[in-house]
């Protein structure tokens, strides 16, 4: 089959954590023998920031994923007839402009002979419903939601008639254990600061435990305001800025443990969604300790795949245990890695996607207009 994928960016992962899974899906489809074409807009915010802040990085990332056919386009010049020629399945990620989403829906309604799916990997359906309501999904066969809670929102609001839960997963062509490197530190955390929605959690579960235990730590990410950088400096934590996503495995290989601190919306409003960071760490075979979240959908086994803590005091105790007990750390990492390889790779998600497509009608028809 031929898959045409509309992404915000395949090349850039600057403040674009979804790039990991989107790239992995493209590669897993290709590994199954399918044809894949990716389209991303010229001047998108992620790639523009990458060019501005990290000149030269774009070419290196593009080379790392050069096996995936990627086309930059402008909305005015985009020829949908050409882009969609021969397509069997078209997937549109939610970090696209509403105008493009609507245009693809119209093309599908006017005779497009392909399955058209919208892919949502964010909490905005609950936290910013007005933003998501701008997307005209008439003509779409359904929505791929990265958690059951998000899937239910689409049904409850009447945004889509058909929805499927399609969790993110690890691209094991990139995220895998590497030979242990010379120890660069005790704790590494890879994540963006964001808009202040988890400042309290980052302080309690990451910054203060590192400070109190006097651990050697490094943080990678973007959008760290001066106040955040001051917090890190006072705690003696090295801030290393943006890290190209595909280089995370080599960084993990130089540290003893990493930490997961979910954003507040996922903890309080969207239980069951771990986000890509959990998959990344476990796929790389590094022990993981997580701040609390509810694994309502049973993706993992807390306590065996990773350690779950209730508060900052327990985080300190678990950090000390993992760093001091090599056998316990190795057992934890091995179990988490096995869970990824057995259930949570992009290959597994492609199998799910193909089953969804097989369940759709051979000659799909447009959905009825959504209710206001």
């Amino acid at each position: 089959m031929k898959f045409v994928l509309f992404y915000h960016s395949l090349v850039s992962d600057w403040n674009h954590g979804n790039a990991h899974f989107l790239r992995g899906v493209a590669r897993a489809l290709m590994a199954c023998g399918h044809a894949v074409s990716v389209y991303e807009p010229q001047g998108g915010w992620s790639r523009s920031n990458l060019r501005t802040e990290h000149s030269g990085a774009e070419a290196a990332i593009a080379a790392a994923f050069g096996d995936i056919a990627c086309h930059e386009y402008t909305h005015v010049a985009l020829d949908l007839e050409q882009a969609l020629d021969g397509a069997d399945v078209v997937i549109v990620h939610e970090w696209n402009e509403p105008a493009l989403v609507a245009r693809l829906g119209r093309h599908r309604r006017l005779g497009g002979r392909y399955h058209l799916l919208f892919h949502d990997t964010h909490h905005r359906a609950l936290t910013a419903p007005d933003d998501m309501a701008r997307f005209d999904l008439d003509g779409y066969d359904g929505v791929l939601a990265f958690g059951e809670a998000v899937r239910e929102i689409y049904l409850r609001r009447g945004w889509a008639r058909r929805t499927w839960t399609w969790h993110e997963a690890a691209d094991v062509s990139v995220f895998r254990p590497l030979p242990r490197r010379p120890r660069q530190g005790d704790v590494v955390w890879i994540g963006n600061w964001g808009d202040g929605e988890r400042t309290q959690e980052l302080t309690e579960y990451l910054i203060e435990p590192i400070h109190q235990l006097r651990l050697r730590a490094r943080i990678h990410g973007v959008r760290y305001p001066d106040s955040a950088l001051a917090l890190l400096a006072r705690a003696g934590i090295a801030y290393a800025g943006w890290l190209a996503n595909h280089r995370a495995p080599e960084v993990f290989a130089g540290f003893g443990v990493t930490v997961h601190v979910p954003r507040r919306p996922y903890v309080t409003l969207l239980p069951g969604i771990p986000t890509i960071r959990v998959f990344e760490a476990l796929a790389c075979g590094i022990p993981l300790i997580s701040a609390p979240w509810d694994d309502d959908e049973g993706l993992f086994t807390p306590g065996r795949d990773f350690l779950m803590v209730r508060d900052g005091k327990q985080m300190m105790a678990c950090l000390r245990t993992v760093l001091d007990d090599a056998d316990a750390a190795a057992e934890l990492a091995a179990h988490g890695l096995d869970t990824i390889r057995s259930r949570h790779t992009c290959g597994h998600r492609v199998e799910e996607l193909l089953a969804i497509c097989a369940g759709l009608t051979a000659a799909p028809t447009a959905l009825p207009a959504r209710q206001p």
Side-chain angles (χ1 to χ4, degrees):
M1 291 195 292
K2 179 178 179 179
F3 287 78
V4 180
L5 313 175
F6 287 87
Y7 292 169
H8 170 69
S9 183
L10 175 88
V11 171
S12 176
D13 49 57
W14 190 97
N15 198 40
H16 177 34
N18 301 129
H20 169 176
F21 181 58
L22 301 179
R23 293 163 174 165
V25 166
R27 272 191 168 160
L29 284 168
M30 292 163 58
C32 292
H34 301 289
V36 175
S37 290
V38 175
Y39 285 81
E40 68 169 84
Q42 288 184 4
W45 50 259
S46 180
R47 199 162 180 173
S48 295
N49 277 287
L50 178 67
R51 288 169 173 166
T52 299
E53 298 195 11
H54 303 279
S55 59
E58 181 181 6
I61 299 173
F65 297 95
D67 55 321
I68 306 172
C70 184
H71 313 276
E72 283 191 274
Y73 69 89
T74 63
H75 290 287
V76 173
L78 178 62
D79 184 342
L80 283 187
E81 292 298 329
Q82 181 182 53
L84 302 178
D85 182 40
D88 297 292
V89 180
V90 179
I91 300 177
V92 188
H93 189 243
E94 105 274 344
W95 282 118
N96 275 291
E97 290 298 322
L100 174 69
V101 174
R103 185 180 172 191
L104 286 162
R106 287 194 300 271
H107 186 276
R108 168 68 172 69
R109 289 197 306 272
L110 293 173
R113 308 294 291 180
Y114 49 82
H115 300 309
L116 180 60
L117 299 168
F118 187 71
H119 183 201
D120 192 337
T121 58
H122 201 267
H123 57 67
R124 290 183 299 162
L126 185 63
T127 59
D130 290 345
D131 286 352
M132 299 307 293
R134 296 181 303 151
F135 291 112
D136 180 1
L137 300 184
D138 292 347
Y140 282 69
D141 290 286
V143 172
L144 303 169
F146 80 141
E148 181 65 16
V150 175
R151 187 190 74 83
E152 291 175 350
I153 292 170
Y154 276 84
L155 293 177
R156 188 165 62 246
R157 291 185 174 271
W159 290 343
R161 189 181 68 191
R162 284 181 292 215
T163 59
W164 299 270
T165 298
W166 198 45
H167 288 286
E168 292 184 303
D171 176 6
V172 293
S173 73
V174 174
F175 286 79
R176 62 192 186 280
L178 297 178
R180 300 306 300 176
R181 306 295 174 87
R183 182 61 68 89
Q184 299 175 39
D186 301 309
V187 183
V188 63
W189 190 72
I190 302 173
N192 303 326
W193 188 264
D195 300 309
E197 73 274 26
R198 58 175 168 177
T199 301
Q200 177 182 337
E201 291 86 349
L202 287 170
T203 301
E204 179 178 3
Y205 292 102
L206 182 68
I207 298 172
E208 274 304 307
I210 290 170
H211 178 56
Q212 293 296 326
L213 294 174
R214 299 179 181 274
L215 301 177
R216 293 179 299 153
R218 183 198 299 173
I219 284 179
H220 288 274
V222 300
R223 299 182 67 204
Y224 280 69
D226 290 343
S227 58
L229 296 177
L231 282 175
L232 300 185
R234 284 197 295 270
I237 299 172
Y239 173 63
W242 173 78
L243 176 73
N245 186 246
H246 69 284
R247 292 188 54 216
E250 66 187 69
V251 171
F252 282 140
F255 288 81
V257 65
T258 191
V259 171
H260 175 53
V261 184
R263 296 178 188 274
R264 197 170 303 164
Y266 294 115
V267 176
T268 60
L269 302 173
L270 297 172
I273 302 176
T275 77
I276 197 67
R277 299 299 185 186
V278 173
F279 298 103
E280 288 180 349
L282 298 186
C284 290
I286 185 172
L288 172 69
I289 306 174
S290 178
W293 61 280
D294 293 322
D295 186 9
D296 286 359
E297 298 182 52
L299 298 176
F300 300 103
T301 304
R304 302 200 66 190
D305 292 325
F306 56 84
L307 301 180
M308 184 90 77
V309 300
R310 296 185 301 272
D311 52 36
K313 183 177 180 180
Q314 193 174 35
M315 174 63 80
M316 285 193 287
C318 287
L319 283 170
R320 195 72 278 165
T321 296
V322 169
L323 290 170
D324 290 347
D325 189 334
D327 291 339
E331 182 179 355
L332 187 67
H335 201 282
L337 176 61
D338 182 66
T339 294
I340 292 293
R341 289 176 170 174
S342 62
R343 291 191 286 165
H344 299 310
T345 70
C346 289
H348 291 107
R349 297 300 182 261
V350 161
E351 291 176 3
E352 297 168 8
L353 175 62
L354 295 176
I356 289 169
C357 294
L360 294 171
T361 57
T365 56
L367 297 178
R370 60 180 173 175
Q371 299 300 312

